[in-house]
Amino acid sequence: MMMEKIGQLDQELFLFLNSFHSDFLDPIMFTMTKTWPWIPMYVFFTYLIMAHYKKESWWVFMAVGLTILFADQTASGLMKPYFERLRPCHEPLLEGMVHNYGYCGGGKFGLASSHAANSFGVATIMSLTLAFKYPWLKWLFAWAAVFSYTRIYLGVHYPGDILVGALVGILSAMAGYFIMKKVRDKIYRSNISDKNLF
């Protein structure tokens, strides 16, 4: 009963947010939701990592890789087929009520949002590894929120899909960071021990 109520509130919030659209914003939001417009930003992140960590960059890149792997596989490989929650644009009960521009996502199911998981994962791992040097990187969470909101605007995700995806991304980044930090520390201690033998 509680889950039904939450689902109903989620649906109502979606319809409210999805109702704010315009012909001008449609193609902008559709472009913003894609990966390719953000490639220069990812290249810049690569530069920042290499500039700060230099020879130690490998473990940060591995942490980023684990973050995206955990986030994407948890959202798309595990949660979507398990929960089988239809995207708003696939929901028969909402036919004619959803503003769906472009396409209806990569599959029938939407919980959790891979866009939210991956973007919040990137924002979190960048904050964990570089925000102490570049505090402005914390603004990446605003980018992740806007990037994720495009999914509601386009009619392919409920707000609940976004919130769960964001949580998955944050936890994935924390897991990727602490796993690779432990690996790095273990290798570092091992190298010191080897040097002390000679």
Side-chain angles (χ1 to χ4, degrees):
M1 197 70 175
M2 176 66 76
M3 293 305 295
E4 289 180 13
K5 183 65 176 175
I6 292 173
Q8 183 182 345
L9 290 173
D10 194 23
Q11 198 172 85
E12 290 173 1
L13 180 59
F14 163 78
L15 289 172
F16 172 74
L17 294 173
N18 180 251
S19 68
F20 295 100
H21 56 82
S22 70
D23 292 340
F24 171 74
L25 279 177
D26 284 353
I28 294 174
M29 288 294 194
F30 187 65
T31 300
M32 287 178 65
T33 204
K34 294 179 177 294
T35 301
W36 63 263
W38 306 106
I39 289 176
M41 182 178 75
Y42 300 140
V43 172
F44 181 58
F45 291 162
T46 300
Y47 164 76
L48 290 181
I49 291 169
M50 295 182 71
H52 178 71
Y53 286 97
K54 298 181 172 57
K55 290 182 180 180
E56 294 289 312
S57 296
W58 65 269
W59 78 269
V60 180
F61 288 125
M62 290 291 288
V64 172
L66 282 180
T67 295
I68 295 171
L69 176 67
F70 292 160
D72 196 62
Q73 287 305 303
T74 300
S76 295
L78 181 64
M79 299 183 78
K80 284 176 182 174
Y82 179 78
F83 290 108
E84 294 188 340
R85 187 190 196 194
L86 291 174
R87 294 176 185 271
C89 47
H90 283 304
E91 176 55 67
L93 296 175
L94 297 182
E95 189 173 351
M97 302 169 67
V98 177
H99 174 68
N100 175 227
Y101 180 85
Y103 67 106
C104 193
K108 288 176 64 177
F109 307 126
L111 181 65
S113 166
S114 298
H115 273 66
N118 291 329
S119 59
F120 275 91
V122 168
T124 304
I125 195 66
M126 287 295 100
S127 293
L128 288 171
T129 55
L130 284 173
F132 64 90
K133 183 173 176 63
Y134 308 106
W136 52 265
L137 278 172
K138 292 176 181 176
W139 283 97
L140 278 175
F141 287 101
W143 161 76
V146 172
F147 184 65
S148 298
Y149 175 75
T150 64
R151 311 306 287 165
I152 299 173
Y153 181 98
L154 296 170
V156 297
H157 277 299
Y158 293 103
D161 300 339
I162 301 298
L163 290 175
V164 174
L167 181 61
V168 167
I170 291 168
L171 293 176
S172 295
M174 292 174 69
Y177 174 79
F178 287 112
I179 288 172
M180 288 314 303
K181 193 169 183 299
K182 269 188 168 295
V183 170
R184 184 205 66 176
D185 292 346
K186 188 173 182 179
I187 291 173
Y188 180 72
R189 285 194 300 269
S190 178
N191 287 340
I192 291 177
S193 297
D194 289 345
K195 287 178 182 178
N196 288 339
L197 290 175
F198 298 98

